[in-house]
Amino acid sequence: MNSQQHRYRNVSSDGMDRERTPSEEGYYQGMLKATDGRKDERDRVQKKTFTKWVNKHLIKSQRHVTDLYEDLRDGHNLISLLEVLSGDTLPREKGRMRFHKLQNVQIALDFLRHRQVKLVNIRNDDIADGNPKLTLGLIWTIILHFQVSSSISDIQIIGLPEDMTAKEKLLLWSQRMTDGYQNIRCDNFTTSWRDGKLFNAVIHKHQ
């Protein structure tokens, strides 16, 4: 094995540390690029979907978002969105300086926390700086609280224990909706849904 083949580290099937050959390294890097490509595509689709959802509600306040990451940075669209969803009126700073943007975003975050919405590692400067990952995370949290949770609470299933969580209720509802479909099981909200068959079954059931 020449010196070039000693540049790459790997672990063999027996657990022993060994060098990764150039061909293996090329395959490894290709897999990383493919994974990154899928992630980029997933983020693009998620951004487009969330933008549509936000605009569906913002139209009620005569506002519109073109770029989700940019158009939430000053906090005004974010506050307006929460006002439409909640029916409450929130205060806001009218200035254009960074301080005012940070303050407006903080008003929105404080409002969500007041409603017992759990925000994990999302700060006002993350949104004001247009952080893609955390902006998507914030909008998804808002969707979960104002739309998904309320929809789940409206699900009525005879014989349900009163202390069932919203997640447990939704899982049971999904199981009953897809009962009788061959080779389809709904055991969780991760692996059971990956091949798309459960989604198709739910759609077919409602057709």
Side-chain angles (χ1 to χ4, degrees):
M1 184 179 295
N2 59 37
S3 59
Q4 185 181 15
Q5 291 176 313
H6 283 272
R7 293 185 306 169
Y8 313 107
R9 306 297 298 176
N10 199 0
V11 178
S12 62
S13 59
D14 60 3
M16 299 297 291
D17 188 37
R18 67 175 178 82
E19 303 297 334
R20 192 157 55 219
T21 66
S23 60
E24 290 174 329
E25 178 67 14
Y27 175 77
Y28 174 71
Q29 293 299 332
M31 289 293 293
L32 288 181
K33 289 181 180 179
T35 301
D36 289 342
R38 287 194 295 269
K39 181 180 182 301
D40 290 343
E41 175 64 14
R42 184 170 65 249
D43 289 347
R44 186 190 68 79
V45 171
Q46 194 174 37
K47 179 183 180 183
K48 182 178 179 180
T49 303
F50 287 3
T51 300
K52 288 183 177 180
W53 184 87
V54 168
N55 283 328
K56 182 182 72 172
H57 295 284
L58 279 183
I59 194 173
K60 299 174 184 177
S61 61
Q62 289 78 51
R63 285 181 171 271
H64 182 83
V65 165
T66 301
D67 187 316
L68 192 68
Y69 305 148
E70 290 294 323
D71 297 343
L72 298 184
R73 292 180 62 181
D74 64 4
H76 284 291
N77 283 323
L78 194 55
I79 289 176
S80 294
L81 176 64
L82 294 177
E83 288 179 333
V84 169
L85 294 171
S86 67
D88 295 337
T89 300
L90 305 181
R92 67 178 74 202
E93 296 286 339
K94 296 182 179 180
R96 297 176 177 272
M97 298 178 64
R98 178 173 172 79
F99 167 79
H100 299 112
K101 297 177 181 180
L102 290 170
Q103 190 66 17
N104 281 333
V105 174
Q106 190 61 50
I107 288 170
L109 298 181
D110 288 343
F111 175 76
L112 290 170
R113 291 190 179 99
H114 178 71
R115 294 180 65 101
Q116 308 303 313
V117 178
K118 187 176 181 180
L119 301 173
V120 181
N121 297 326
I122 299 178
R123 305 189 308 269
N124 59 355
D125 58 321
D126 295 320
I127 308 304
D129 291 338
N131 183 296
K133 179 180 178 180
L134 295 178
T135 299
L136 290 175
L138 176 61
I139 297 302
W140 175 236
T141 300
I142 292 173
I143 292 173
L144 282 177
H145 179 74
F146 285 100
Q147 181 163 326
V148 176
S149 295
S150 60
S151 298
I152 293 173
S153 298
D154 292 337
I155 294 175
Q156 300 296 327
I157 304 178
I158 297 175
L160 280 184
E162 294 183 359
D163 60 348
M164 284 189 73
T165 66
K167 184 177 181 180
E168 291 170 338
K169 188 185 294 186
L170 181 60
L171 182 62
L172 180 58
W173 177 86
S174 300
Q175 290 169 343
R176 294 191 180 184
M177 286 297 100
T178 56
D179 185 40
Y181 286 88
Q182 189 175 5
N183 299 323
I184 291 181
R185 287 176 55 88
C186 183
D187 298 320
N188 52 56
F189 290 115
T190 53
T191 56
S192 294
W193 297 80
R194 285 179 180 171
D195 62 5
K197 292 181 180 179
L198 264 171
F199 283 112
N200 289 336
V202 171
I203 292 171
H204 182 265
K205 182 77 171 182
H206 284 278
Q207 282 180 338

